[in-house]
Amino acid sequence: MVAKIRAYKSTEDIETCYRYIDEHRKVLEAYGVKQVTSASHDWLNDENTYVIIVESEDGEKIFGGGRIQVRSEKMKMPMEGAIAKKDERVYGYVDNFKGRKLAEFCGLFNSKEVAGYGIGSIFLGRIGVAITSQIGVEHLFALCSPPTLRQCLRIGFEVIRDLGNNGTFYYPKEGLIATAIIVKDLQNLPHAHEDERGRIMHLREQPVQYAVEKGPKGEIALHYDLDMKI
């Protein structure tokens, strides 16, 4: 298995953004999910949104993706609107970080074709945390599903237990659970497992690299191109 992973500002490759949107929609629909707040397209022309895309070696297929959406006066984080429907305390919680650069890691998915290789749970997670250093984000939020929670905690996230039911919500629909999480110290990642912290720091130091990674289903060769030249 070979794949390319690159990161870019959304406004610099709108065409690929539309392909990412289409593939994400297909995956959501396969789970019976028609609408989620992170599936809004408002971010397409936002200068503060950054996309991570996982493609086949020839660039013909999209295997997965995600994005870092920086909070601004114009655009709140998608999870704020999603959580507020269940717990309005989210607005007060986010207001506690006033004056800080906040972002949400959202819209993560991987196609069924690569299920089991760890693209959506392991590799995209590491990369999302790694590229925040280029963007200057201070705190990173996310909503994660139960199967990905363990890996999210490994890369430095903590559960936001002040919201919902000890951090959990029914989202994106009844019967599906999401957990609100945050990385409070993106620079040092004090809550990350040592091996994960080391891998994330290596990606920060060498954003363009080739590596043969070990996923749950076996080895995968990844060509990383994460230098967004910001």
Side-chain angles (χ1 to χ4, degrees), residues 63-112:
F63 292 143
R67 68 183 190 273
I68 304 291
Q69 193 163 315
V70 179
R71 191 178 195 267
S72 65
E73 289 186 13
K74 187 173 70 173
M75 290 189 70
K76 290 186 176 180
M77 296 181 292
M79 67 182 286
E80 291 180 73
I83 289 178
K85 294 173 184 176
K86 305 283 186 179
D87 188 346
E88 289 190 349
R89 291 180 298 172
V90 64
Y91 293 128
Y93 184 85
V94 173
D95 284 344
N96 289 331
F97 297 94
K98 190 173 182 179
R100 305 289 184 89
K101 193 168 184 178
L102 313 179
E104 181 180 348
F105 194 12
C106 55
L108 267 74
F109 78 94
N110 63 261
S111 67
K112 287 186 177 180

Side-chain angles (χ1 to χ4, degrees), residues 43-176:
W43 55 268
L44 271 171
N45 297 302
D46 178 40
E47 293 290 336
N48 294 303
T49 296
Y50 303 85
V51 179
I52 307 163
I53 203 81
V54 186
E55 303 170 293
S56 59
E57 199 170 14
D58 59 10
E60 291 296 314
K61 296 180 180 179
I62 290 181
F63 292 143
R67 68 183 190 273
I68 304 291
Q69 193 163 315
V70 179
R71 191 178 195 267
S72 65
E73 289 186 13
K74 187 173 70 173
M75 290 189 70
K76 290 186 176 180
M77 296 181 292
M79 67 182 286
E80 291 180 73
I83 289 178
K85 294 173 184 176
K86 305 283 186 179
D87 188 346
E88 289 190 349
R89 291 180 298 172
V90 64
Y91 293 128
Y93 184 85
V94 173
D95 284 344
N96 289 331
F97 297 94
K98 190 173 182 179
R100 305 289 184 89
K101 193 168 184 178
L102 313 179
E104 181 180 348
F105 194 12
C106 55
L108 267 74
F109 78 94
N110 63 261
S111 67
K112 287 186 177 180
E113 187 173 350
V114 295
Y117 280 100
I119 284 175
S121 57
I122 300 172
F123 303 116
L124 279 171
R126 286 176 186 163
I127 293 163
V129 173
I131 67 171
T132 56
S133 61
Q134 296 183 53
I135 305 167
V137 173
E138 295 174 80
H139 308 294
L140 186 64
F141 291 77
L143 284 174
C144 74
S145 63
T148 59
L149 178 59
R150 181 171 172 271
Q151 177 61 21
C152 289
L153 298 179
R154 283 183 59 85
I155 60 176
F157 280 95
E158 302 172 72
V159 176
I160 305 174
R161 301 194 182 278
D162 296 337
L163 300 176
N165 180 13
N166 205 28
T168 64
F169 303 83
Y170 283 119
Y171 178 83
K173 68 174 187 176
E174 290 296 323
L176 294 180

